[in-house]
Amino acid sequence: MIERPTRIGVQLAPQHTSMQATIDAARRLEEMGADVVFGWDHFFPLSGDPDGVHFEATAQLAAWAAATERIQLGALVFCNSYRNPDLLADITRTIDHISGGRFIFGIGGGWFERDYEEYGYDFGTVGSRLRSLGESLPRIRARWARLNPPPMGPMPILIGGKGEQKTLPMVAEHADIWHSFVGPDDLPHKLDVLRAACEARGRDIAEIEISNGASVRDGVGGVGFERLDALHAAGTRLLTIPLSGDDTPDGYALDRVQAFLDWRDRKNGD
């Protein structure tokens, strides 16, 4: 049985702020002791002014990799549809080298229709996007193996989603981290499905880190950490807080993160 520490990630949405502000926030999170800083892979804001300031994922992550020293980083998650899979393998290998081996490769099937329409990608269906993801993952892994030099670090693969027919089998086949927003009541069932998929492939589900989305509402205003406690009890070990560049007049509400770090430390017995 693999004993995993509890970890806290922060997703800095690259919207409604400057690039320098995202870099400064990533550095500050590293100083605070967060475990992972995530971006996202969209071309337009998902909240606030839909035509507001926004930045592209891969270049932003390269900037974070150069500006930090210890914190892991990645996208939560790359959209498989937006780049040739062999090219994405090369891009992420390169960012991994910039970071000194700290990169997490997060990927999913894609869902934000405006990105597809305005950038000329075929939106297709949920099924077609997931089929494409299933075809891309072996290509990405094969390209990593052929690249000279290969990735520096273990380049853990994070797959996002909760579908039982396609996504969870892909997690069992390829992923080191499974990320979802499944609540504590439904998570045990999903884990049973994932466990069966792992067993069918000769894997132990313990090899996969269970990741979930936190909320800035957790632990704020007297709400407490009951939901996170329940997710933790079910096996979740990576919890990620979403922040946006317009959370406050000064930008990212990084002060909200400390309560989560304190909760993590209590879980880890520090």
Side-chain angles (χ1 to χ4, degrees):
M1 183 68 179
I2 298 174
E3 293 294 333
R4 295 186 182 276
T6 303
R7 305 200 297 155
I8 291 295
V10 180
Q11 184 181 47
L12 298 175
Q15 60 180 20
H16 309 307
T17 192
S18 68
M19 176 56 69
Q20 189 60 51
T22 77
I23 294 170
D24 292 344
R27 284 175 172 154
R28 177 60 183 145
L29 289 169
E30 181 171 75
E31 292 170 359
M32 293 174 69
D35 297 288
V36 188
V37 58
F38 287 112
W40 71 24
D41 191 18
H42 296 289
F43 305 133
F44 303 94
L46 298 186
S47 62
D49 179 358
D51 294 312
V53 170
H54 196 277
F55 293 100
E56 189 274 334
T58 61
Q60 180 193 46
L61 288 165
W64 290 357
T68 59
E69 297 178 355
R70 299 179 303 279
I71 197 167
Q72 284 192 290
L73 65 149
L76 193 63
V77 291
F78 286 123
C79 174
N80 176 64
S81 307
Y82 298 164
R83 301 165 191 88
N84 172 283
D86 291 86
L87 173 61
L88 183 58
D90 203 342
I91 291 169
T92 53
R93 177 281 308 254
T94 301
I95 300 174
D96 188 54
H97 275 261
I98 296 170
S99 75
R102 294 178 284 123
F103 198 74
I104 294 173
F105 179 76
I107 194 165
W111 64 272
F112 189 41
E113 190 169 2
R114 184 185 180 191
D115 285 347
Y116 286 80
E117 290 180 347
E118 296 219 26
Y119 277 63
Y121 298 112
D122 178 21
F123 188 55
T125 65
V126 173
S128 68
R129 295 193 298 275
L130 287 174
R131 282 194 298 274
S132 178
L133 175 60
E135 293 165 359
S136 293
L137 282 163
R139 285 181 60 182
I140 290 166
R141 297 179 69 178
R143 178 58 61 185
W144 283 338
R146 292 197 298 272
L147 286 169
N148 184 16
M152 279 191 70
M155 191 87 90
I157 296 173
L158 178 155
I159 295 177
K162 63 178 182 178
E164 297 179 14
Q165 298 301 313
K166 294 182 178 180
T167 301
L168 292 182
M170 278 190 276
V171 171
E173 182 74 22
H174 298 286
D176 304 286
I177 306 170
W178 170 50
H179 182 82
S180 77
F181 297 94
V182 175
D185 292 340
D186 297 326
L187 185 58
H189 167 70
K190 295 292 184 181
L191 289 174
D192 284 343
V193 174
L194 179 58
R195 184 176 294 104
C198 286
E199 290 173 354
R201 291 160 177 78
R203 288 191 75 188
D204 185 344
I205 191 175
E207 298 173 18
I208 300 173
E209 184 175 24
I210 309 304
S211 170
N212 207 303
S215 166
V216 293
R217 294 185 297 275
D218 293 310
V220 175
V223 174
F225 286 96
E226 289 82 1
R227 191 180 73 88
L228 298 193
D229 287 337
L231 288 170
H232 188 275
T236 304
R237 289 298 179 270
L238 174 57
L239 280 301
T240 296
I241 309 146
L243 297 180
S244 175
D246 59 346
D247 281 334
T248 74
D250 298 322
Y252 296 106
L254 299 180
D255 59 320
R256 298 176 184 172
V257 175
Q258 188 59 53
F260 292 88
L261 299 179
D262 294 341
W263 176 84
R264 172 202 66 188
D265 294 343
R266 290 194 297 272
K267 290 299 181 184
N268 288 332
D270 294 344

